[in-house]
Amino acid sequence: MQSLHPALFDLQQLQPGDTADRNTNATSENREGRGSLGTITYGDLLRLLRSGPTSAAEGAEEDDDDDYEDDYSGRSGNTDWNQQWFPPHNEPQPKGVELLMGGEFGRLSNKLRSMKGKKNVSRLLLDRSSRPRGAMPREDLTSDLLPNSNGTAVASNGANLYVGQYSKDSSFYYTCCQDFRLHVYDMTSPPVKHAKRPRNLRRGAAIEDDRDHESTLKVLKTIQGHPGRWTITDSHLSPDNERMIYSSISPTVYMTNTLDSSTIQTPIRFADSGRRQGRSIWGLYDEESFGIWSCRFSADGNEVVAGGSGQIFVYDLLADRRTVKIVAHGDDVNSCCWADTASGNVLISASDDTFLKVWDRRSLGASQKPSGVLVGHTEGITNVSAKGDGRYIISNGKDQALRLWDLRKMCSSEDFDTFKDRDYRSPSYDYRYGHYPKPKRAAHPNDCSVMTYRGHAVLRTLIRCNFSPTETTGGQYIYSGSADGRIHIWSLDGRVVEVLDRSQTLPMSYDPSGPELEPLSGSRPTVCVRDVSWSSTEPVLMSVGWESSRIGGSVVARHEWKGLSKMGNSLEDLAEKQHSERSERAARRAKGYRRIPGAFDEEDEDEE
């Protein structure tokens, strides 16, 4: 044991990229890490730690080694590491079209105009004068404008970034780092000049004074988070954007201010008060050994829902006490959320046991059973995200599927009890190694999902997914990061409508709003895109990508809609096309076609 303490110290000093999330399958506990800690290997250390009594949560932390340089090189034997056993849809799917045209995902008139090729932005702008006070929904102009550039780097960190999200009004953007630093960036200010950091900068000193961080974005605030267990796994902003909470695999979530100069961080303790636990591998006595992986503010900002080691909780910030504790799943709860942005009564939990469960707090007093279960994934679930209407949610699974759910079609708790013990997970599959073996099933036999979206790689870490902004797109798109280094955007009808390649992201010295350049030549390491966020005010995405373990650290990229430059045309092509169209219209008029000068007609609208 004398060699164990210095080894533990070295473990906490591992370079970012040596480990990441974790796999909670029972078989993963027999796998060993490959990092070397002096004379003790990482695998030796895990065996030492496992030799004594440990809890399930501690075991999860020990298995938090999913960034293997050799295993993530791109191949597993002769099989492509991102092989698509069930390829994505190339054509609209009937169920998806029905959803898209159902009126709950944006304005129907926009979709009809787009489908008929009659969406004329010029006419929409001119018609604006006939509306009260010139009002026009932003969605009318931007619903078809998707971020389509491979991006330009705007920030980098020496450690892995686990979270990168816009504020609700997109006035700022924030990131959460593996070494517990949080950066808040001003998205309303022009970019600053890029100043490259010195070479051969010693990493330990760099972290202390933030010198391993560089950005062309204006930094509003840098927060040194409270040290937790391994990394910040999740964070969320209050509805007023003034407070931020973050979790770090401990029983305590911390809350801090985002934009003022205060350094105060308020602990939100989800552990049972007064309960003393046995010593964990981190040397802590005063807290329970479970870990919180996910946390979310309620719509009014007065409550926090959190999920972790098979449990979900609700904490009342005004009363300063935990109000709900549910033993919800048979495996880790990787993600949780509120189902809507109004009542705050319905909670969603997503677990490595492959199920999403729906909980109505109004009925928890009578029963600790869920109101319903969403069944469809055949592997653990990495992330769940709600549309906010109390009806639709999406989830990413380690079965390489993104699924859309309608809460009205969930499986009842009684029906779930008849098959809950049947496990359809692959016994030898470990998502951290970058290869998904051919599954026996495309979905659970009792699948109740509405739509399935494929094409991305949910490997290596807990890849996230989201709906596109309601304000600008009506929520008619779904997007996700991917371990294959790409950002995937799907139409609600099932088709992949845009794929952005982070391996082609331009260096920080380039202008993110400049013309889209030709793809970079030469081979580049695969970037794992963990988190992506879509601006609520403009067609811009921000993505967080982990560089390969040979490079280390993370890069934040900005992806804009580049319009003409991404349509394969030049200005000369456009001028020639306009000249040709004018000639055709003149020829039609010469044949006797009459109209009022300055008026729009249907033929002109179709051509523009």
Side-chain angles (χ1 to χ4, degrees):
M1 292 298 292
Q2 291 180 350
S3 62
L4 178 57
H5 293 291
L8 283 172
F9 176 80
D10 290 337
L11 174 62
Q12 292 177 312
Q13 305 303 317
L14 283 176
Q15 296 288 338
D18 289 337
T19 62
D21 289 330
R22 79 270 178 251
N23 180 55
T24 56
N25 292 341
T27 56
S28 69
E29 296 188 1
N30 296 321
R31 300 189 175 96
E32 300 174 1
R34 299 190 176 188
S36 176
L37 303 176
T39 58
I40 300 179
T41 66
Y42 187 60
D44 293 334
L45 178 57
L46 293 185
R47 285 192 292 273
L48 283 170
L49 295 175
R50 293 182 186 127
S51 63
T54 56
S55 69
E58 291 162 4
E61 294 165 50
E62 295 164 10
D63 287 332
D64 190 357
D65 193 336
D66 62 358
D67 189 359
Y68 301 106
E69 179 174 349
D70 296 333
D71 294 308
Y72 193 67
S73 58
R75 296 281 178 182
S76 178
N78 296 321
T79 306
D80 189 345
W81 70 276
N82 185 29
Q83 184 167 349
Q84 295 293 322
W85 302 111
F86 307 102
H89 299 297
N90 295 320
E91 299 295 332
Q93 301 301 296
K95 288 184 179 179
V97 174
E98 183 180 346
L99 283 170
L100 192 62
M101 306 305 290
E104 296 177 287
F105 291 87
R107 291 162 56 82
L108 191 58
S109 58
N110 274 330
K111 298 182 181 64
L112 292 172
R113 282 194 294 263
S114 297
M115 292 173 64
K116 295 178 180 179
K118 292 186 176 182
K119 187 165 184 179
N120 188 314
V121 176
S122 300
R123 179 165 187 170
L124 289 173
L125 290 172
L126 288 173
D127 286 347
R128 185 176 184 178
S129 59
S130 64
R131 300 173 184 267
R133 299 182 182 179
M136 179 173 59
R138 190 183 305 162
E139 180 191 342
D140 286 358
L141 297 176
T142 60
S143 60
D144 292 336
L145 305 183
L146 306 182
N148 58 9
S149 71
N150 292 324
T152 301
V154 293
S156 67
N157 277 79
N160 282 339
L161 296 172
Y162 277 69
V163 179
Q165 286 290 308
Y166 273 105
S167 61
K168 187 175 181 180
D169 60 2
S170 297
S171 62
F172 66 88
Y173 175 82
Y174 71 94
T175 60
C176 299
C177 199
Q178 186 175 358
D179 53 30
F180 305 101
R181 284 176 298 166
L182 302 92
H183 292 93
V184 182
Y185 304 97
D186 187 354
M187 302 305 289
T188 64
S189 297
V192 299
K193 185 177 180 181
H194 171 236
K196 190 173 181 61
R197 64 173 179 245
R199 284 189 170 187
N200 303 321
L201 188 62
R202 190 166 61 88
R203 180 176 155 65
I207 290 179
E208 292 177 5
D209 59 11
D210 208 37
R211 280 185 289 163
D212 69 333
H213 166 259
E214 54 184 335
S215 176
T216 57
L217 302 174
K218 179 182 178 181
V219 179
L220 293 173
K221 188 174 184 178
T222 299
I223 303 167
Q224 181 56 58
H226 192 281
R229 297 175 180 172
W230 185 247
T231 183
I232 293 176
T233 55
D234 195 15
S235 66
H236 195 234
L237 291 173
S238 60
D240 59 7
N241 292 331
E242 294 182 0
R243 294 168 292 155
M244 180 193 299
I245 52 174
Y246 63 89
S247 58
S248 55
I249 329 179
S250 77
T252 302
V253 168
Y254 285 88
M255 181 169 61
T256 183
N257 295 329
T258 53
L259 302 178
D260 62 18
S261 59
S262 173
T263 59
I264 297 175
Q265 298 185 49
T266 304
I268 304 171
R269 304 186 188 279
F270 289 90
D272 293 336
S273 59
R275 183 175 177 182
R276 186 180 177 87
Q277 295 291 309
R279 183 174 183 177
S280 74
I281 64 171
W282 306 101
L284 301 176
Y285 286 97
D286 59 343
E287 291 185 313
E288 292 183 70
S289 56
F290 69 85
I292 297 294
W293 293 91
S294 179
C295 54
R296 289 288 183 272
F297 274 108
S298 61
D300 59 8
N302 294 329
E303 292 182 298
V304 172
V305 62
S309 304
Q311 306 173 87
I312 58 171
F313 310 88
V314 175
Y315 196 96
D316 189 324
L317 297 175
L318 298 180
D320 194 19
R321 65 185 182 91
R322 191 187 68 196
T323 56
V324 172
K325 176 182 178 181
I326 306 171
V327 179
H329 293 268
D331 215 327
D332 275 349
V333 175
N334 291 326
S335 185
C336 62
C337 67
W338 305 88
D340 61 77
T341 56
S343 68
N345 287 319
V346 181
L347 314 174
I348 311 293
S349 57
S351 171
D352 265 327
D353 65 10
T354 75
F355 303 118
L356 297 101
K357 294 186 178 180
V358 183
W359 309 86
D360 191 332
R361 292 200 294 171
R362 293 165 293 189
S363 62
L364 287 178
S367 171
Q368 285 284 301
K369 285 192 173 184
S371 299
V373 184
L374 300 172
V375 182
H377 286 291
T378 57
E379 298 290 347
I381 300 165
T382 65
N383 183 244
V384 60
S385 180
K387 183 174 181 287
D389 58 0
R391 181 171 170 180
Y392 294 104
I393 64 172
I394 54 174
S395 61
N396 249 347
K398 297 175 185 177
D399 55 1
Q400 314 306 297
L402 191 158
R403 298 186 186 275
L404 172 69
W405 313 86
D406 184 339
L407 297 188
R408 300 173 305 172
K409 300 181 180 181
M410 62 187 176
C411 176
S412 70
S413 184
E414 291 74 19
D415 289 342
F416 175 70
D417 286 341
T418 63
F419 61 81
K420 65 180 181 180
D421 295 327
R422 299 173 190 168
D423 193 345
Y424 296 96
R425 290 175 287 187
S426 300
S428 60
Y429 170 47
D430 188 332
Y431 82 114
R432 302 171 298 170
Y433 284 90
H435 170 62
Y436 180 52
K438 186 174 182 179
K440 294 181 179 179
R441 300 175 182 273
H444 192 285
N446 300 91
D447 182 19
C448 62
S449 62
V450 178
M451 282 288 294
T452 301
Y453 305 87
R454 299 186 185 274
H456 60 321
V458 188
L459 299 163
R460 192 183 179 190
T461 184
L462 303 181
I463 302 292
R464 300 181 160 213
C465 57
N466 285 287
F467 287 97
S468 62
T470 301
E471 298 88 342
T472 55
T473 69
Q476 64 178 295
Y477 304 103
I478 295 168
Y479 63 99
S480 173
S482 176
D484 66 359
R486 295 175 172 86
I487 299 163
H488 297 252
I489 304 176
W490 294 266
S491 168
L492 201 68
D493 63 23
R495 296 171 299 128
V496 178
V497 293
E498 197 69 64
V499 177
L500 312 179
D501 189 353
R502 274 296 307 263
S503 70
Q504 298 296 324
T505 293
L506 296 172
M508 206 177 299
S509 55
Y510 286 81
D511 179 8
S513 300
E516 183 77 354
L517 303 181
E518 292 295 323
L520 301 175
S521 60
S523 61
R524 304 192 69 195
T526 300
V527 177
C528 177
V529 184
R530 174 177 165 92
D531 201 8
V532 188
S533 185
W534 192 321
S535 170
S536 62
T537 60
E538 55 185 343
V540 172
L541 282 175
M542 298 284 282
S543 68
V544 166
W546 294 0
E547 298 296 316
S548 70
S549 55
R550 293 179 178 83
I551 298 174
S554 293
V555 171
V556 178
R558 177 182 173 96
H559 309 262
E560 299 186 357
W561 177 73
K562 291 297 179 72
L564 180 65
S565 63
K566 289 288 289 184
M567 296 178 184
N569 298 317
S570 65
L571 291 176
E572 291 79 5
D573 296 331
L574 179 62
E576 183 177 347
K577 179 182 178 183
Q578 290 175 336
H579 177 73
S580 175
E581 290 174 347
R582 283 195 296 268
S583 299
E584 291 178 6
R585 288 195 294 269
R588 287 199 300 271
R589 287 195 295 268
K591 293 180 180 180
Y593 179 70
R594 293 174 172 268
R595 67 173 184 174
I596 300 174
F600 284 97
D601 65 81
E602 200 168 301
E603 281 190 296
D604 284 347
E605 182 180 334
D606 291 345
E607 294 173 358
E608 292 185 5

